[in-house]
Amino acid sequence: MLSRPKPGESEADLLHFQNQFLAARASPAVKIVKKADKRKGEEGSTDAERPLLQDSKDVVMLDDFPDILPALTPAPPKKSKIKSACVHFEDEDPEERLESHDQHITAVFSKIIERDTSAVAVTMPVPTGDPFPRTFHRFEIKSEVKVGSGRKSIFAQKMAARRAAEKAATAPSAAECVQVRSAAPDALDPEGSAGEAPLRSIRDNKADDFLTSQRPCLITGEGLGSQKSEQEAQAIHKENLEKLRSMSEEEILQEQERLLAQLDSSLVAFLKSRRGGNEGQKKEFKMKQNRPEEFVESLPVAQHGVGSSLSMRESGLEESVRKEENTKVEITGKTANFPTPHKDDDLPVKPKKEWIHMDNVEFEKLEWMKDLPSPRQKKTKKGMQARFSLKGELIPADADLPTHLGLHHHGEEAERAGYSLQELFHLSRSQVTQQRTLALQVLGRIVQKARAGEFASSLKGSILRLLLDAGFLFLLRFSLDDTVDNVMAASVGALRALLVSLDDEKYLDWTFSWYQGMAAFPFVPNNEEEEEEEEEELNGTEKSQDKKLKDENKPDPDVARYDVVKGLLKTRIQHRLRYILEVVRPVPTVVLDILHILTHIARHSCEACSQLLDCPRLIETIVREFLPTRWDPQVAEPGCLLTSLHGVACATAMKFIRVLASGGRNATARLLNKYEMKSRLSRFIAEDPLDLLLPREEAIRLSTEAFRLWAVAAGYGQACDLYRDLYPVLVRILQSLPELLSTCRGKSPMIELSVQRATAVVTLLIHVTQTAGYATELQAKLSSNHSEDREQIPPPPVAWHEVSGLQPFLETSLKKFLQEISQTETWQTLQPLTTTYMIYLGVYYSACSQQPSVNPIDCLEELERLTSEVLQPLLSQPAIHSMWDLLRPCSALCNPLSCSPAPESVFSIASLSCTGGKPPLSLVGSKSPFPFLTALLFLINSITHIHKGLTSKYISVLGFRGLKDYLHQSLQTGPPSVTPSSAWILRHEYHLQYFVLALAQRMAGTCPDYAQHASLHHCVAMALLSRLLPGSEHLAYEVLLDLAFNPEFLPEGKAGGPEAADFSDILHLGTSAKLAQPGSAAAFFSKATRGALLRESYQNLPFIRSCYLSHFVHLQPTVMRSQASYQGRNYLIQSMLLPEVKGPILPSDWPFFPLISLYNKVTNAEMRGAVLNSLPLDLINTVTWNLQWVLLLETWRAKTLQSIPTAAKLARLMCVFLTGGDLFLEAPIHHYTAALLSVYCQPKALDSLNLDAPLPGLASFHDLYISFLEQFEGVSFGDPLFGVFVLLPLQKRFSVHLRLSVFGEHTSILQALGVPLHQFPVPLERYISPPEDNLNLLRLYFRTLVTGALRHTWCPVLYVVAVAHVNSFIFSQDSTTQETDAARKSMLRKTWLLVDETLKKHLLYYRLLNTESPLGFDLYERLPPMRLKYLQMVTQKENKENAPALIS
């Protein structure tokens, strides 16, 4: 039996099953029967007549479908549906058949009855003097007649209106009457009188006219369907009038109210609207109709109060009706009737009758033709919508601008000029190209001005954040795909304004030649919000890969929300920009904008650089079109206007290639080899900028960027083979550098660009010299047999002897430039070049000292000569003194606001916040001394590292007053928050601080006069350790290795620091003196003084250093990468982009790191099920050394730990008890923990203790405390030190949940908390003040006391606390809730009935705290009269005889 098809089987399987079925020749389970074709009768074929399908192939056969296609001409005949129903004979005559089917007209038209016209009046034509009758025009007649059932043509409506007008002219004039149109006149009499007719004020004495009216104004009787319809309508009208005359005033009012309550509001509105169509209205009524307050018509009653009583109700109803009606006014020669207060005089244009389609005037549309009212400021605190001009400028709300500027439109607030952001967004999606272009241009200008901070003081909120949230980024991305060139250009300009800050690029170029200025942080936003939303559990490489996969799976808007550049790359923007450059070939402005955008994208990350390099034909197009080796010489002619930048060398394109090369050594290799950038470098470097066929300024910029690109390549050890080819060019440039001095004095306009080019040349030589310095070492490693198993690094193609000959040129130029240091303007111009000279000499001598071919004595003599001839005279210059004084005002650490984010900065777009320029007195300002002094200190450190004997020659550097003031001030203020702008600036400032410390470290052991600076420099070193940013791991390692744990920087250890601590304890100068050492459960070791502990810690500094260095071993890979950069090992550098900045390298609480690391290891082991019964010796030593270091810092360097909250210190110290069983019982650990506890229990520390605030590195202190209680229950052994840590968080000002956890869930620990009162370091007042107000906790206090779970002998501290709070509660007479009052009275009665007389006496007679008393508190001898009276009142139900016994 064949199986049935199953889900998941393919079409091939189904065909296979079909072949099996056909081969088996089995009968099918279902037989398909085709019904007969109705058009063919029974001739349709059935399935039985069809041929069987062959087994070899599948054949699909269609019924009556010929194998040969029919001819299309002539068309196939149409088939008649009734042809088969007619039977014809061949001999039948067609004519006879036609006659037989013919029918007479009477069969169609039968019984025609004419209309009776006997009663219709016949009017004769009006005789006129014209030869022909007067032509009848439609527009001469009003179209006021109401259209009844059915549709009428326009002519029929006009004719009906004409007849009505003629009939009205012959009728007598009457007042307006009211009647309800209905088929049941008997039921609608009251409605016609009270519901339809509005009340009119009876002061006009028109009641008689109303009651004597002869014609109804609402109905005509046409709907009654009889010839006497008018007579019937008149009879109904008379009955209504008689009904009204017979009713009294009260009956009219009641009937009116009843009808208004019963009738639908829409019906009432319809009846009221019928009144406006009557032509016989009087002029007085028309005037009242235009006044809403008098629009209600009164009934004919005698009393005046009826109309007034109903006027408000009717007028409100009338206003609601008017709002629902479409107000249109008819224009005729007579007075128009309309239910709105508009008048013909209000019209800006008077319509004429001859105008087509101007019969009905729509006032809402004609409002736009009126003069606009003058704008005025709204007197409200609510902000107004921002409006912008076409230049992107903010228009004030009260600005009255002329309309010819084109800023007024028919949107909201038409009187205000300008466009809102919403209107510009709407306009940007217009179908009109000019409107789209204009909207994008205006939005781009708004963004540019917003980034410049022009709207910061005028607008509330951030425009950029608002635009990005509204989808502005993807609006630009969609517009880039537009086919219109102008729209593409506008979107490119707006995107450049959004992403790129030209001032940021300017300052990055300015710092390129600073010390380590070539390396820069990537422009990756610090996405803290994204990290909070995503819980990632992976670490290291797995975490980064998992994050990359998540970004790929996210939608584009979600990615762009946190990182705009990453979101744009996800939309493949690089491919679209390549298309625009290659195919569209836009104007030069658009090309430059695209190159700026690509440069910004390349600064984002190494991944972004890779995506740009992998984009097909992008780099080829840029190199071919904008970095050609030859171009039209007309470009260099003065006044030449470039219409296209294609085929012309461009400095911006060279800069983009340079930034792209900074993304990594592999990217640089691809650019140099695959895209032939080496030939471009030779082309633009070999030729002088004056000889390039470009405008002079552009030629200098292009040459500068070429040198910078070469410097980047040399920073990887690449492109050094060009050095030999271009050596004569470099020598010629170096020989011309002194000429810059005369050019600078002449104030040439191109001097700044020339200096930048010169600094780029020297920066290139710096990296070529570094590369050549390791050529010998690499050659030795290559020839050595020990490196066979490692990756072979070939030596560079440049040797040391090839670069050493350039040093005299540079040193000579440096001496000349230093002579101009007193000339402010000249020096300010030449300072960048002089800075690079200093860096070059430092690099040169560092590499020179390592060359085996160089005589060391000659090198040392050169250093001595440089010191005596150049550096020492320089340090004595007054200008250098003023530079040290400028450190503090220009520092970013001393002035955190100088590197604060811009007002319009958004977290998804990384920016350096340089828009508008930095002030001169800032770290990157024009007057900043940081670059030159950093280079000078780098040179001095290089000299003193090589020649130790010259160290004392530079002792004056550390003695400058400006430097010491700067270092002091940098310690007072915390570092700014880490942002892209602050990280970029602070990195350069940290370089200067490090070189100061490195110089201090060399002087500490050789110069006896240095001790006075040791404490300051050690504080700076400790602060720098917690501030250094990623990329500076080598500096952090050097500070840890040589400075932080150096005994020379802790002079207190030699100068009587431990003795001073003991003397302070003896004199009770600190509150911790008498309480410094709580007892121990071990009790087999003697207590140690704080001075002895400090002395021992000072002696163990080498062990402490090795302990911390071993715990920072996880940073070794990053230290190696950073070391390669700082030591100039170019062959190991992978990228000029520094690691992504998310915070400092080391956390602020790094002194506790070994203890935290040990706690995490133990906790993770316990979570896996392992039990640590004993700890090895090295872990005990680790904890001891950690506690010793923290004690040293808390005693002698307390300011370095001020940034760590006291609660965080306490939580980290609690890890001692949470780590491994009885670790806290070890003698040294117990001693140092007790000493630190005494420090944290001082009054200032207790005042700053806040356990309710979030703590860094801790999810919840409550959870930590619960685990701490569980650990105390298990392994405390009643240790008093452990008990003090349990009692510290139970202070009254902390969370009540901590106290509830002790007295509610962990009452068993109350038996082991035996901390004596005289050893408890915290004043008890912090536990009992203010009185407890938590009713549940008070009940737990009372229960533990009554049940004996809390006793004075077991837990004296909490016993005193519980007694004090219960006593205060039971005798409190403050007004409170009923529940609380009942609880305290009940508790007082239970206390009165206690059997334990001692507890009863403590609870009733408690007076005050007294730590000298054995109980910890004093008792009343007799109850105060007020308390006694209250006690008697509460316990009056008990035996009154017990009261005197109690008192006695």
Side-chain angles (χ1 to χ4, degrees), residues 241-540:
L241 295 181
E242 294 176 358
K243 187 77 173 179
L244 287 175
R245 294 190 185 96
S246 63
M247 294 175 65
S248 63
E249 177 186 351
E250 292 78 6
E251 292 175 346
I252 292 176
L253 292 177
Q254 292 177 1
E255 195 69 20
Q256 184 183 33
E257 292 178 358
R258 185 180 66 82
L259 287 175
L260 290 176
Q262 293 176 355
L263 293 177
D264 187 12
S265 59
S266 61
L267 178 59
V268 176
F270 169 73
L271 295 175
K272 289 179 178 295
S273 64
R274 295 285 296 171
R275 179 181 53 197
N278 185 25
E279 288 184 331
Q281 292 176 333
K282 295 186 178 180
K283 188 175 181 179
E284 297 87 4
F285 177 74
K286 292 180 183 178
M287 295 176 61
K288 292 183 179 182
Q289 190 179 19
N290 292 331
R291 295 197 298 267
E293 67 276 4
E294 298 181 2
F295 198 62
V296 180
E297 190 174 341
S298 65
L299 290 175
V301 293
Q303 285 80 0
H304 295 276
V306 179
S308 60
S309 64
L310 297 178
S311 60
M312 292 302 295
R313 181 186 308 165
E314 289 293 323
S315 62
L317 184 62
E318 185 70 19
E319 290 177 1
S320 65
V321 171
R322 264 185 247 146
K323 291 178 181 179
E324 298 176 359
E325 293 177 353
N326 184 18
T327 306
K328 292 188 177 181
V329 181
E330 299 175 352
I331 304 298
T332 62
K334 303 177 183 179
T335 304
N337 302 322
F338 48 89
T340 59
H342 296 292
K343 297 181 180 180
D344 294 349
D345 297 337
D346 297 335
L347 296 178
V349 178
K350 304 297 182 182
K352 298 182 180 180
K353 294 185 294 182
E354 292 81 6
W355 291 358
I356 302 176
H357 303 309
M358 286 298 294
D359 302 336
N360 299 330
V361 178
E362 302 180 41
F363 280 97
E364 291 80 0
K365 296 181 179 179
L366 290 178
E367 286 289 335
W368 302 114
M369 302 178 65
K370 290 185 178 181
D371 292 336
L372 291 174
S374 59
R376 54 189 180 87
Q377 186 77 27
K378 294 182 179 179
K379 297 181 179 180
T380 176
K381 296 181 180 180
K382 196 172 183 180
M384 302 182 68
Q385 191 177 33
R387 293 191 172 274
F388 302 90
S389 68
L390 299 181
K391 295 181 179 180
E393 300 170 347
L394 182 65
I395 299 179
D398 55 350
D400 190 6
L401 300 179
T403 56
H404 66 79
L405 297 178
L407 299 178
H408 294 80
H409 50 85
H410 294 177
E412 298 178 357
E413 302 176 325
E415 70 276 4
R416 291 186 58 193
Y419 291 82
S420 65
L421 295 178
Q422 182 180 2
E423 292 164 351
L424 290 172
F425 262 70
H426 182 71
L427 198 62
S428 66
R429 306 311 299 164
S430 171
Q431 294 184 355
V432 182
T433 302
Q434 291 83 351
Q435 291 180 350
R436 295 202 306 274
T437 305
L438 179 64
L440 292 172
Q441 290 174 347
V442 174
L443 286 171
R445 293 165 188 153
I446 292 173
V447 170
Q448 190 167 2
K449 292 181 180 297
R451 295 197 66 175
E454 296 186 13
F455 306 141
S457 59
S458 304
L459 297 181
K460 184 179 181 181
S462 172
I463 287 185
L464 293 185
R465 195 172 294 113
L466 180 65
L467 287 174
L468 290 176
D469 292 343
F472 178 59
L473 181 67
F474 291 95
L475 170 65
L476 298 180
R477 182 63 186 91
F478 298 153
S479 300
L480 273 180
D481 295 335
D482 203 302
T483 57
V484 181
D485 292 351
N486 289 341
V487 177
M488 277 191 292
S491 58
V492 168
L495 188 61
R496 197 270 305 162
L498 178 66
L499 294 180
V500 183
S501 172
L502 297 181
D503 290 326
D504 288 356
E505 294 294 332
K506 170 187 173 183
Y507 281 97
L508 283 172
D509 294 342
W510 170 257
T511 59
F512 181 84
S513 298
W514 289 15
Y515 177 76
Q516 292 290 323
M518 187 182 298
F521 289 109
F523 276 20
V524 178
N526 190 6
N527 298 330
E528 296 178 356
E529 298 181 12
E530 183 182 16
E531 294 173 2
E532 292 176 359
E533 293 181 4
E534 299 179 356
E535 298 179 359
E536 299 179 357
E537 299 179 356
L538 300 178
N539 293 320

Side-chain angles (χ1 to χ4, degrees), residues 699-718:
I700 297 177
R701 292 182 187 275
L702 179 61
S703 178
T704 302
E705 289 299 336
F707 276 110
R708 287 173 178 168
L709 173 60
W710 191 9
V712 171
Y716 299 121
Q718 301 177 5

Side-chain angles (χ1 to χ4, degrees), residues 21 25-32:
F21 174 75
R25 296 183 179 275
S27 60
V30 178
K31 183 178 181 181
I32 302 176

Side-chain angles (χ1 to χ4, degrees), residues 1092-1140:
L1093 297 177
L1094 290 172
R1095 193 177 297 109
E1096 182 182 6
S1097 302
Y1098 184 78
Q1099 294 173 356
N1100 288 339
L1101 280 176
F1103 302 103
I1104 295 174
R1105 181 183 66 174
S1106 62
C1107 171
Y1108 277 87
L1109 290 177
S1110 64
H1111 277 84
F1112 291 135
V1113 70
H1114 66 282
L1115 297 175
Q1116 189 66 23
T1118 57
V1119 171
M1120 296 299 295
R1121 288 195 294 268
S1122 176
Q1123 187 179 21
S1125 176
Y1126 281 99
Q1127 292 183 354
R1129 298 180 180 269
N1130 296 342
Y1131 59 91
L1132 296 177
I1133 297 176
Q1134 298 298 321
S1135 174
M1136 293 299 173
L1137 287 180
L1138 299 171
E1140 183 180 346

Side-chain angles (χ1 to χ4, degrees), residues 430 900 1002 1210 1426 1439:
S430 171
S900 58
R1002 294 189 176 92
L1210 183 64
M1426 183 177 296
N1439 190 359

Side-chain angles (χ1 to χ4, degrees), residues 765-967:
L765 296 179
I766 291 173
H767 291 281
V768 172
T769 304
Q770 286 179 336
T771 303
Y774 288 98
T776 306
E777 179 183 344
L778 292 177
Q779 184 65 41
K781 288 183 178 180
L782 186 63
S783 59
S784 175
N785 296 328
H786 299 287
S787 59
E788 292 179 356
D789 55 339
R790 297 182 182 179
E791 182 182 357
Q792 300 295 324
I793 301 178
V798 58
W800 176 254
H801 68 275
E802 296 175 341
V803 300
S804 58
L806 299 181
Q807 184 264 344
F809 293 101
L810 297 172
E811 186 174 342
T812 303
S813 298
L814 175 63
K815 292 178 181 179
K816 292 184 178 181
F817 287 171
L818 290 179
Q819 295 175 359
E820 302 294 328
I821 194 172
S822 58
Q823 306 295 327
T824 305
E825 294 183 1
T826 305
W827 173 252
Q828 187 172 335
T829 304
L830 297 176
Q831 179 181 332
L833 183 56
T834 313
T835 299
T836 55
Y837 283 160
M838 291 286 186
I839 299 174
Y840 171 81
L841 291 178
V843 169
Y844 174 81
Y845 286 112
S846 296
C848 181
S849 62
Q850 300 175 2
Q851 302 302 316
S853 61
V854 177
N855 188 357
I857 298 178
D858 295 340
C859 181
L860 296 179
E861 289 178 353
E862 285 189 22
L863 293 178
E864 292 176 357
R865 178 185 53 80
L866 181 66
T867 300
S868 59
E869 295 181 3
V870 179
L871 297 182
Q872 281 191 329
L874 175 65
L875 292 175
S876 61
Q877 291 274 356
I880 291 293
H881 289 262
S882 62
M883 282 189 183
W884 295 110
D885 294 336
L886 284 176
L887 284 177
R888 181 173 175 179
C890 294
S891 166
L893 288 174
C894 302
N895 307 280
L897 296 179
S898 63
C899 56
S900 58
E904 282 289 344
S905 61
V906 290
F907 69 90
S908 59
I909 302 177
S911 172
L912 302 183
S913 302
C914 296
T915 305
K918 292 288 186 178
L921 288 180
S922 62
L923 196 140
V924 292
S926 58
K927 296 183 179 180
S928 173
F930 275 91
F932 178 76
L933 293 181
T934 302
L936 176 62
L937 289 171
F938 170 67
L939 176 58
I940 293 174
N941 272 278
S942 300
I943 293 174
T944 55
H945 177 72
I946 301 169
H947 197 323
K948 303 293 191 299
L950 295 178
T951 303
S952 59
K953 300 288 185 180
Y954 297 101
I955 186 66
S956 61
V957 173
L958 302 180
F960 282 112
R961 184 174 180 178
L963 176 61
K964 292 190 290 186
D965 290 345
Y966 158 69
L967 294 177

Side-chain angles (χ1 to χ4, degrees), residues 654-683:
M654 183 67 77
K655 179 180 179 179
F656 164 66
I657 299 297
R658 184 253 297 179
V659 175
L660 195 62
S662 301
R665 63 184 307 113
N666 294 332
T668 305
R670 292 176 62 181
L671 290 171
L672 293 176
N673 301 315
K674 180 179 179 180
Y675 300 108
E676 301 179 353
M677 285 307 300
K678 281 188 178 181
S679 61
R680 263 73 178 179
L681 289 177
S682 301
R683 166 72 174 86

